[in-house]
Amino acid sequence: MRRSVVSRRGFRSLAVGLAGLSSLVFGTATAHADPEQPDAEPATAYVEGIDEVTDQHWTVRVYSPAMNTVIPLDVLRPADPSVPRPVVYALGGAGVGVIDGTGWMESSDIAEFFSDKNVNVVIPATGNFSYFTDWDLDDPVLGRNQWQTFLLEELPPVVELLDTDGKQSIIGMSMSAGSALDLAIRSGDLYSGVASLSGCVRTSDPVGQLYVRLVVERRGKGDVESMWGPADGSALGRARRLPQCGRLARQGLVPVEPQRSARRVRRPRSGTRGG
């Protein structure tokens, strides 16, 4: 049985402190509600609530100002949480949250793998067909997606509440394999490690664009131009180029070999659909 251990009201005061930290480090986030209105949401991300599934598996709900919604997260706690521990963000496949077998929790043994390791693992339980990027426009079907802002600016100060040691890494699989690399490139020195597993990271050439359309439009029923603009426009080629591994190397980040990183992570079960 799940037990609620933190309420939304209990974290309101923490949101005030995080607002100052966020504005100093990242700049002030833009909320989609008027902050002068009495019932407006705060301009800083905050924890709405936490449910304890087990001692080491929590489900955490974090409000995102950029997306004006609450994002559910699966959080795997360290084997020994007595001292600060690093964080690994794990992004899922195309249908995460809506199609069985496309997220880490249901398609791999990630919980078992990390159960004896001293690391916090933060897994978004949604983000389907979004490529975990900032979309140019709200989509009629897929809604508002501002994942780069959420993952790089809004979420890290909130995750610090888990008593972390400041070291953060990110991994992506299938749809998010290229996204993890792109986020690492854009993150400055936020991440100390990155891994890309079983994905198509090319998004700016014709083959890559076709793959993106298959994911976003055919499977997700969204409009790819809501995400990155027209395929023949400058925005796609400029912002969604092949991830620059040379820049990752200069940042001290070299993508690990998939065979090594996935060695003990089970392949998706037969009959499930990744992507």
Side-chain angles (χ1 to χ4, degrees):
M1 177 179 295
R2 299 189 177 190
R3 179 167 58 88
S4 180
V5 296
V6 181
S7 68
R8 172 175 175 163
R9 183 179 299 275
F11 276 89
R12 282 287 186 175
S13 59
L14 292 174
V16 175
L18 289 173
L21 175 63
S22 181
S23 62
L24 287 173
V25 178
F26 301 111
T28 301
T30 301
H32 293 284
D34 185 353
E36 296 182 357
Q37 295 178 2
D39 296 329
E41 295 285 2
T44 305
Y46 65 86
V47 175
E48 185 194 59
I50 299 177
D51 292 330
E52 184 180 314
V53 182
T54 68
D55 288 345
Q56 283 189 261
H57 178 198
W58 297 356
T59 58
V60 182
R61 300 179 298 281
V62 175
Y63 172 75
S64 165
M67 290 187 275
N68 194 22
T69 193
V70 174
I71 305 298
L73 308 167
D74 286 293
V75 176
L76 305 178
R77 298 286 285 140
D80 177 10
S82 62
V83 297
R85 300 298 187 185
V87 178
V88 174
Y89 298 92
L91 307 181
V96 57
V98 296
I99 299 177
D100 290 342
T102 58
W104 284 99
M105 293 302 293
E106 73 272 19
S107 66
S108 77
D109 60 353
I110 191 169
E112 178 185 354
F113 177 77
F114 281 103
S115 63
D116 60 349
K117 296 173 176 60
N118 289 316
V119 62
N120 296 282
V121 185
V122 177
I123 309 168
T126 185
N128 48 287
F129 310 110
S130 70
Y131 273 87
F132 292 100
T133 188
D134 280 0
W135 285 43
D136 291 347
L137 302 171
D138 292 353
D139 187 80
V141 175
L142 299 178
R144 177 169 299 178
N145 289 288
Q146 297 293 311
W147 284 95
Q148 178 179 309
T149 299
F150 178 68
L151 292 167
L152 298 186
E153 300 179 17
E154 297 177 344
L155 186 58
V158 176
V159 169
E160 288 180 4
L161 299 175
L162 295 173
D163 192 22
T164 68
D165 65 4
K167 295 180 181 178
Q168 304 183 72
S169 300
I170 188 167
I171 60 178
M173 68 165 176
S174 198
M175 177 194 73
S176 65
S179 305
L181 297 178
D182 191 53
L183 287 163
I185 289 169
R186 298 169 188 279
S187 69
D189 59 358
L190 179 64
Y191 300 128
S192 59
V194 60
S196 176
L197 309 176
S198 187
C200 175
V201 302
R202 303 183 70 95
T203 57
S204 58
D205 63 15
V207 174
Q209 291 176 22
L210 176 61
Y211 186 83
V212 171
R213 287 189 178 277
L214 288 174
V215 171
V216 174
E217 296 187 343
R218 183 170 180 179
R219 299 184 64 191
K221 310 304 180 185
D223 183 353
V224 75
E225 293 191 3
S226 296
M227 182 165 66
W228 293 332
D232 57 353
S234 61
L236 181 63
R238 182 181 68 251
R240 312 304 163 192
R241 56 196 177 281
L242 178 68
Q244 299 178 6
C245 291
R247 186 181 298 181
L248 290 175
R250 290 192 295 274
Q251 293 173 208
L253 299 173
V254 179
V256 300
E257 296 180 15
Q259 294 87 344
R260 294 179 182 177
S261 62
R263 182 169 48 194
R264 288 187 59 191
V265 177
R266 189 171 65 235
R267 287 181 175 272
R269 293 186 293 270
S270 176
T272 60
R273 294 186 291 175

